[in-house]
Amino acid sequence: MAAPIAYSLIATDLDGTLLRGDDTLSDRSLAALARVADAGAQHLVVTGRPAPRVRPLLDDLGTTGLAVCGQGAQVYDAGADRLLWSITLDRELAETALGKIEAEVGQVYAAVDQDGVDGLTLIEPGYLMPHPTLPAVRVDRRDDLWGEPISKVLLRHPHLSDDELAATARSVVGSLATVTMSGPGTVELQPCGITKATGLALAAEHLGLRPADTLAFGDMPNDIPMFDWAAHGVAMANAHPELKAVADEVTLSNEDDGIAVVLERLLGGAAQYGPLTLSIEP
């Protein structure tokens, strides 16, 4: 076994963080995560993607343990292909929240992630998937989105930026839902009070680990609660300014194997790869 790593739990976002822009994992990242496992640490995916959209990536990683999905609304057991914990967004509250947002900004286009290990992603007319490689089912009208329990609602506006849409949504939604921004074209409504930190805390407790044991990586404002919970938060070079502002450290981009760079440094094997991390003041 390799020398122990400073952290027992490595929590990584996927899109814009561990994954490259084409949804692939680099050999260098895979090798670094394998070394982490050899050193006795756990790797935990913490993502906004729902469990069904994460399962193929977990297979690529060889993960048979836990993953936090749906912005913290799901704790998924990959080995058993079941949800250990999940919470749904009340569909009436979701409709009310959408109405409040549209009263302020005009028409938005919506999609939903259904709950469950086989839940579908449904998109209404006009909604464009931010990740065109992810499967989705187009429905004829908005009412068709609410047929089954959902874990979250995804929103897009034809003109407003993600920051503008998220700010307006937060100002009018109140306690109806939690508003997050998790990537380009991805403003979301999830159950009130649920964040990545919620799911991460549950998964860590299941593993017998604590915030002090945790190193977290991310790139978007939805990762802020995870950084607040973990002992050390590392933002990618491509991260949103809001996340960089609260990060303990900034590494290279997802395209430049920023996660691997940090893990190699911690494992004592980074010299052969050149520059380490770009640091910032906490």
Side-chain angles (χ1 to χ4, degrees):
M1 179 177 289
I5 192 170
Y7 299 96
S8 302
L9 183 61
I10 311 300
T12 67
D13 174 47
L14 287 178
D15 296 294
T17 303
L18 181 61
L19 296 179
R20 296 179 291 194
D22 60 0
D23 273 7
T24 61
L25 289 151
S26 73
D27 290 340
R28 185 176 177 183
S29 292
L30 287 169
L33 291 171
R35 290 185 62 198
V36 161
D38 288 343
Q42 300 264 3
H43 172 223
L44 186 67
V45 166
V46 184
T47 178
R49 295 192 187 197
R53 306 290 89 79
V54 176
R55 192 160 39 204
L57 293 166
L58 297 180
D59 289 342
D60 290 343
L61 286 164
T63 298
T64 58
L66 303 184
V68 177
C69 306
Q71 304 292 11
Q74 300 173 327
V75 177
Y76 174 62
D77 183 336
D81 190 27
R82 67 187 182 97
L83 293 174
L84 296 184
W85 181 84
S86 69
I87 185 168
T88 58
L89 174 60
D90 183 280
R91 286 164 280 176
E92 289 188 7
L93 294 182
E95 285 191 276
T96 300
L98 273 176
K100 286 180 172 290
I101 294 167
E102 290 188 318
E104 295 292 323
V105 302
Q107 183 179 15
V108 299
Y109 299 112
V112 300
D113 285 335
Q114 293 179 332
D115 189 41
V117 296
D118 295 314
L120 301 173
T121 297
L122 304 181
I123 57 178
E124 72 173 351
Y127 185 89
L128 298 176
M129 287 290 288
H131 297 286
T133 60
L134 295 179
V137 176
R138 188 169 297 280
V139 297
D140 294 329
R141 54 199 179 97
R142 180 170 293 178
D143 285 350
D144 295 331
L145 299 176
W146 319 118
E148 299 290 339
I150 60 173
S151 60
K152 65 180 179 180
V153 178
L154 301 91
L155 306 176
R156 301 195 75 165
H157 192 276
H159 307 298
L160 293 179
S161 70
D162 298 330
D163 290 286
E164 291 169 331
L165 179 57
T168 300
R170 289 189 186 102
S171 71
V172 300
V173 165
S175 62
L176 294 173
T178 294
V179 179
T180 61
M181 183 169 55
S182 62
T186 315
V187 174
E188 301 178 358
L189 306 178
Q190 59 205 63
C192 186
I194 297 298
T195 67
K196 284 192 174 184
T198 311
L200 177 55
L202 287 168
E205 182 180 10
H206 187 84
L207 296 169
L209 298 171
R210 308 162 298 158
D213 302 317
T214 306
L215 170 65
F217 294 87
D219 74 308
M220 290 299 291
N222 64 321
D223 295 311
I224 292 174
M226 178 168 70
F227 277 25
D228 290 342
W229 187 88
H232 194 80
V234 181
M236 314 306 289
N238 51 288
H240 191 284
E242 288 182 19
L243 187 68
K244 287 183 177 179
V246 302
D248 298 298
E249 181 178 351
V250 177
T251 185
L252 303 182
S253 74
N254 60 320
E255 299 292 347
D256 294 321
D257 296 314
I259 288 179
V261 167
V262 174
L263 296 181
E264 289 159 1
R265 183 192 70 201
L266 293 173
L267 290 160
Q272 61 181 304
Y273 296 110
L276 296 180
T277 59
L278 310 172
S279 62
I280 60 170
E281 293 298 321

